[in-house]
Protein backbone atom coordinates (compact mmCIF):
# COMPACT_ATOMS: atom_id res chain seq x y z
CA UNK A 1 0.00 0.00 0.00
CA UNK A 2 1.35 3.41 -1.01
CA UNK A 3 1.45 6.13 1.64
CA UNK A 4 2.42 9.73 2.29
CA UNK A 5 4.53 10.29 5.40
CA UNK A 6 4.22 13.74 6.98
CA UNK A 7 7.74 14.95 7.78
CA UNK A 8 6.59 18.51 8.58
CA UNK A 9 2.91 19.46 8.46
CA UNK A 10 3.26 23.15 7.65
CA UNK A 11 1.11 25.79 9.31
CA UNK A 12 -2.32 24.23 8.73
CA UNK A 13 -2.54 21.23 6.42
CA UNK A 14 -5.75 19.22 6.22
CA UNK A 15 -7.34 16.55 4.04
CA UNK A 16 -10.03 18.16 1.86
CA UNK A 17 -12.30 17.18 -1.00
CA UNK A 18 -15.19 19.21 -2.44
CA UNK A 19 -17.14 18.96 0.83
CA UNK A 20 -20.41 17.56 2.10
CA UNK A 21 -23.47 19.49 0.95
CA UNK A 22 -26.99 19.11 2.28
CA UNK A 23 -26.40 18.57 5.99
CA UNK A 24 -26.73 22.18 7.19
CA UNK A 25 -30.14 21.49 8.74
CA UNK A 26 -28.39 18.93 10.95
CA UNK A 27 -25.77 21.52 11.92
CA UNK A 28 -23.00 19.99 9.80
CA UNK A 29 -20.81 22.40 7.86
CA UNK A 30 -20.03 21.46 4.24
CA UNK A 31 -16.27 21.98 4.83
CA UNK A 32 -14.30 21.20 1.67
CA UNK A 33 -11.50 22.90 -0.23
CA UNK A 34 -11.31 26.67 0.20
CA UNK A 35 -10.19 26.88 -3.45
CA UNK A 36 -12.29 24.20 -5.15
CA UNK A 37 -11.05 25.15 -8.62
CA UNK A 38 -7.42 24.46 -7.67
CA UNK A 39 -8.32 21.12 -6.07
CA UNK A 40 -10.18 20.15 -9.25
CA UNK A 41 -7.20 21.15 -11.42
CA UNK A 42 -4.74 19.17 -9.29
CA UNK A 43 -6.96 16.11 -9.38
CA UNK A 44 -7.42 16.32 -13.15
CA UNK A 45 -3.65 16.53 -13.58
CA UNK A 46 -3.13 13.19 -11.82
CA UNK A 47 -6.17 11.49 -13.35
CA UNK A 48 -8.44 11.48 -10.31
CA UNK A 49 -12.10 12.38 -10.15
CA UNK A 50 -12.29 16.16 -9.60
CA UNK A 51 -13.55 15.70 -6.05
CA UNK A 52 -10.90 13.25 -4.83
CA UNK A 53 -9.32 14.09 -1.49
CA UNK A 54 -6.02 15.95 -1.47
CA UNK A 55 -3.95 17.93 1.01
CA UNK A 56 -4.81 21.60 1.49
CA UNK A 57 -1.93 23.70 2.85
CA UNK A 58 -2.51 27.19 4.20
CA UNK A 59 0.15 29.94 3.99
CA UNK A 60 3.06 27.61 4.82
CA UNK A 61 3.49 24.21 3.24
CA UNK A 62 4.92 21.07 4.74
CA UNK A 63 7.34 18.31 3.81
CA UNK A 64 6.04 14.93 2.66
CA UNK A 65 7.89 11.69 1.98
CA UNK A 66 6.66 9.12 -0.54
CA UNK A 67 8.19 5.79 0.60
CA UNK A 68 6.84 3.88 -2.42
CA UNK A 69 6.82 6.83 -4.82
CA UNK A 70 3.70 8.43 -6.30
CA UNK A 71 2.34 10.50 -9.17
CA UNK A 72 1.55 13.98 -7.81
CA UNK A 73 0.53 17.49 -8.82
CA UNK A 74 0.50 20.83 -7.02
CA UNK A 75 -2.19 23.39 -7.75
CA UNK A 76 -3.25 26.72 -6.30
CA UNK A 77 -0.78 29.13 -4.73
CA UNK A 78 2.96 28.94 -5.32
CA UNK A 79 4.66 27.66 -2.17
CA UNK A 80 8.10 27.31 -3.78
CA UNK A 81 7.98 23.51 -3.84
CA UNK A 82 11.09 21.36 -4.19
CA UNK A 83 11.49 17.63 -4.71
CA UNK A 84 14.71 16.48 -3.03
CA UNK A 85 15.97 20.07 -3.24
CA UNK A 86 15.16 20.63 -6.94
CA UNK A 87 12.29 22.94 -7.99
CA UNK A 88 8.93 21.18 -8.47
CA UNK A 89 6.62 22.69 -11.03
CA UNK A 90 3.22 24.06 -10.08
CA UNK A 91 0.18 22.89 -12.11
CA UNK A 92 2.11 19.98 -13.63
CA UNK A 93 2.13 16.24 -13.06
CA UNK A 94 5.37 14.71 -11.83
CA UNK A 95 6.51 11.43 -10.38
CA UNK A 96 8.16 11.02 -7.01
CA UNK A 97 10.54 8.10 -6.73
CA UNK A 98 10.51 5.89 -3.62
CA UNK A 99 11.83 7.80 -0.63
CA UNK A 100 11.77 11.25 -2.21
CA UNK A 101 10.63 14.25 -0.16
CA UNK A 102 8.42 17.02 -1.50
CA UNK A 103 8.90 20.21 0.50
CA UNK A 104 6.99 23.48 0.36
CA UNK A 105 7.87 26.81 1.90
CA UNK A 106 5.77 29.86 2.62
CA UNK A 107 3.37 31.19 0.05
CA UNK A 108 4.61 33.43 -2.73
CA UNK A 109 1.09 34.06 -4.06
CA UNK A 110 -2.32 33.46 -2.49
CA UNK A 111 -3.17 31.44 0.60
CA UNK A 112 -3.62 27.78 -0.32
CA UNK A 113 -1.75 25.10 -2.21
CA UNK A 114 -3.14 21.64 -2.95
CA UNK A 115 -1.10 18.46 -3.10
CA UNK A 116 -3.00 15.92 -5.18
CA UNK A 117 -1.79 12.36 -5.51
CA UNK A 118 -2.87 9.81 -8.09
CA UNK A 119 -5.51 7.66 -6.38
CA UNK A 120 -6.37 10.41 -3.88
CA UNK A 121 -5.77 10.55 -0.16
CA UNK A 122 -7.74 7.71 1.39
CA UNK A 123 -9.47 8.43 4.70
CA UNK A 124 -12.71 7.25 6.27
CA UNK A 125 -15.62 9.24 4.85
CA UNK A 126 -17.96 11.19 7.11
CA UNK A 127 -21.39 11.82 5.56
CA UNK A 128 -19.92 10.95 2.16
CA UNK A 129 -16.94 13.31 2.32
CA UNK A 130 -13.26 13.12 3.22
CA UNK A 131 -13.13 16.82 4.15
CA UNK A 132 -11.78 17.85 7.54
CA UNK A 133 -13.84 20.09 9.81
CA UNK A 134 -11.38 20.94 12.56
CA UNK A 135 -13.78 22.80 14.89
CA UNK A 136 -16.03 19.75 15.22
CA UNK A 137 -13.20 17.21 14.92
CA UNK A 138 -14.95 15.41 12.05
CA UNK A 139 -13.76 13.98 8.75
CA UNK A 140 -10.33 14.06 7.20
CA UNK A 141 -7.46 12.43 9.07
CA UNK A 142 -8.67 11.95 12.66
CA UNK A 143 -10.74 15.15 12.36
CA UNK A 144 -7.69 17.41 12.71
CA UNK A 145 -4.88 19.19 10.91
CA UNK A 146 -1.93 16.95 10.06
CA UNK A 147 0.97 16.46 12.47
CA UNK A 148 4.55 15.37 12.06
CA UNK A 149 4.70 11.56 11.80
CA UNK A 150 1.19 11.07 10.39
CA UNK A 151 0.97 8.45 7.64
CA UNK A 152 -1.77 8.82 5.02
CA UNK A 153 -2.93 6.06 2.69
CA UNK A 154 -3.02 6.66 -1.05
CA UNK A 155 -6.07 5.20 -2.80
CA UNK A 156 -6.08 2.99 -5.86
CA UNK A 157 -5.88 4.73 -9.25
CA UNK A 158 -8.91 4.23 -11.47
CA UNK A 159 -7.70 5.30 -14.94
CA UNK A 160 -4.42 4.03 -16.48
CA UNK A 161 -1.89 6.87 -16.50
CA UNK A 162 -1.13 6.53 -20.23
CA UNK A 163 -4.76 7.58 -20.90
CA UNK A 164 -4.29 10.69 -18.77
CA UNK A 165 -1.11 11.68 -20.58
CA UNK A 166 -2.90 11.27 -23.93
CA UNK A 167 -5.78 13.42 -22.66
CA UNK A 168 -3.35 16.18 -21.57
CA UNK A 169 -1.57 16.13 -24.95
CA UNK A 170 -4.87 16.50 -26.82
CA UNK A 171 -6.02 19.41 -24.65
CA UNK A 172 -2.80 21.29 -23.98
CA UNK A 173 -3.16 25.01 -24.73
CA UNK A 174 0.56 25.05 -25.54
CA UNK A 175 0.25 22.42 -28.27
CA UNK A 176 0.58 23.89 -31.73
CA UNK A 177 -2.09 23.07 -34.28
CA UNK A 178 -1.21 21.98 -37.82
Amino acid sequence: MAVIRVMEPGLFTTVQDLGREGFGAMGVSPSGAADAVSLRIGNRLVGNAEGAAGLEMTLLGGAFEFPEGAMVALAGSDFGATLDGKPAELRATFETKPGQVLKMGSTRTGARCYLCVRGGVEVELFLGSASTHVLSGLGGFEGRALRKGDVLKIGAAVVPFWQIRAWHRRRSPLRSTP
Side-chain angles (χ1 to χ4, degrees):
M1 162 184 48
V3 298
I4 302 169
R5 184 171 293 129
V6 180
M7 309 299 285
E8 294 294 331
L11 181 64
F12 188 71
T13 301
T14 57
V15 175
Q16 297 293 345
D17 61 14
L18 295 177
R20 58 186 68 79
E21 295 293 331
F23 298 98
M26 295 170 37
V28 178
S29 164
S31 304
D35 180 357
V37 171
S38 291
L39 178 66
R40 284 182 165 109
I41 290 169
N43 275 320
R44 291 294 298 264
L45 286 168
V46 294
N48 293 339
E50 290 183 348
L55 300 184
E56 178 182 82
M57 296 167 276
T58 303
L59 299 176
L60 177 66
F64 307 94
E65 180 188 16
F66 299 88
E68 295 82 23
M71 190 65 61
V72 302
L74 296 168
S77 302
D78 181 2
F79 279 37
T82 60
L83 183 61
D84 280 352
K86 296 178 183 163
E89 198 172 339
L90 187 63
R91 290 180 297 281
T93 306
F94 56 96
E95 188 172 357
T96 65
K97 293 184 173 90
Q100 284 191 305
V101 175
L102 180 65
K103 185 174 183 179
M104 272 70 67
S106 58
T107 184
R108 296 176 179 174
T109 61
R112 289 180 179 80
C113 181
Y114 294 85
L115 169 57
C116 296
V117 60
R118 182 160 164 68
V121 176
E122 190 176 285
V123 295
E124 187 175 338
L125 301 182
F126 174 71
L127 296 177
S129 172
S131 287
T132 308
H133 187 262
V134 174
L135 292 176
S136 63
L138 299 172
F141 185 79
E142 300 180 3
R144 61 173 170 79
L146 298 181
R147 298 178 187 150
K148 184 176 183 171
D150 287 343
V151 177
L152 304 161
K153 295 178 188 175
I154 297 174
V158 178
V159 178
F161 194 70
W162 65 267
Q163 288 180 347
I164 297 159
R165 286 198 186 268
W167 182 88
H168 286 298
R169 279 194 300 273
R170 286 192 310 271
R171 286 166 180 79
S172 172
L174 302 176
R175 190 173 148 236
S176 61
T177 55

